[in-house]
Amino acid sequence: MMSHFLKPLQSFCCGCDLQTGTTCVAALDIVNCALLFLGAVGIMVYGAGYLAVVTGLISFVSLVMACIGIVGAQNYKTRELFWFYVWGFVQIAYLVLNSFVNWMSSESFCREAVADPDLHDDMNSCERRVALSSIMLLIWALCIRTYFQWAVWSLYYKLTMTAAPGLAASEELFGYHGMQDLEGSGYIPLRPHQKRNSSVTVADSTL
């Protein structure tokens, strides 16, 4: 299991709790995928190649999965969060593939740049700049996407641990941003000032 070598996050960046963070990740996916889908459709109208078709399909499915992710985060549904998390790896794979394809097609771009007398460029330097830019953008995007995956997994892991039989939620699981009543789980996270009662598994919300 990932929990054996990766510690779950206690909160999202900027002080947000994991529920809010996962919802933001899904919302950003919706905006990004909607723009990519519309762009791919516009390119396909003009008879573009297979890459636009693949981009359109990936974007559409990602849009649906992002909506599922919001439902899972807002309603503490582990199944929806799980599929949103798994699909994130498909997006990472497509990100790497798309970057590689763009890098391979840099030759035609550089050929046009070299042909333009106003740019005063040569083929080798153009290809080096394109390759360096592609690698830097890919590393940056992978870092952001990996952190998003970590946040989604953290919420999913903590929800599954909280819903385990005989296990009460605690500040060790949810930190200082403890969630309210977990729908369907029967557990209420303890606040930092609350004490665990060993005879019960549900925290008293009135404390």
Side-chain angles (χ1 to χ4, degrees), residues 78-187:
T78 55
R79 182 175 60 182
E80 283 80 357
L81 282 174
F82 173 77
W83 288 114
F84 178 54
Y85 169 70
V86 170
W87 184 255
F89 289 104
V90 177
Q91 291 180 297
I92 290 176
Y94 171 73
L95 177 64
V96 175
L97 177 63
N98 188 51
S99 299
F100 178 76
V101 171
N102 289 334
W103 175 64
M104 293 298 293
S105 61
S106 63
E107 183 178 352
S108 60
F109 169 79
C110 289
R111 189 179 297 111
E112 295 178 1
V114 171
D116 191 340
D118 296 330
L119 295 179
H120 304 288
D121 204 354
D122 63 88
M123 197 70 174
N124 291 332
S125 62
C126 177
E127 290 182 345
R128 284 196 298 268
R129 286 198 302 272
V130 171
L132 181 61
S133 300
S134 300
I135 292 173
M136 293 180 63
L137 288 174
L138 178 60
I139 292 175
W140 176 81
L142 285 177
C143 289
I144 297 296
R145 191 73 230 186
T146 300
Y147 179 78
F148 285 172
Q149 285 291 95
W150 189 11
V152 175
W153 170 79
S154 297
L155 178 61
Y156 169 77
Y157 172 76
K158 292 183 178 185
L159 288 176
T160 54
M161 290 297 293
T162 304
L167 179 64
S170 67
E171 61 269 23
E172 287 78 21
L173 283 178
F174 288 96
Y176 290 85
H177 305 283
M179 300 177 184
Q180 303 301 316
D181 190 10
L182 297 180
E183 180 181 352
S185 69
Y187 296 103

Side-chain angles (χ1 to χ4, degrees), residues 3-73:
S3 59
H4 291 168
F5 60 89
L6 183 63
K7 185 178 180 180
L9 295 171
Q10 295 300 321
S11 63
F12 196 66
C13 66
C14 306
C16 298
D17 56 58
L18 289 175
Q19 182 196 27
T20 303
T22 302
T23 303
C24 290
V25 170
L28 289 173
D29 266 0
I30 289 177
V31 175
N32 181 53
C33 295
L35 293 175
L36 285 176
F37 179 75
L38 292 176
V41 170
I43 294 175
M44 284 187 288
V45 169
Y46 292 96
Y50 71 94
L51 186 59
V53 177
V54 174
T55 300
L57 291 175
I58 295 292
S59 301
F60 179 77
V61 178
S62 297
L63 188 63
V64 174
M65 296 304 296
C67 294
I68 293 176
I70 288 182
V71 172

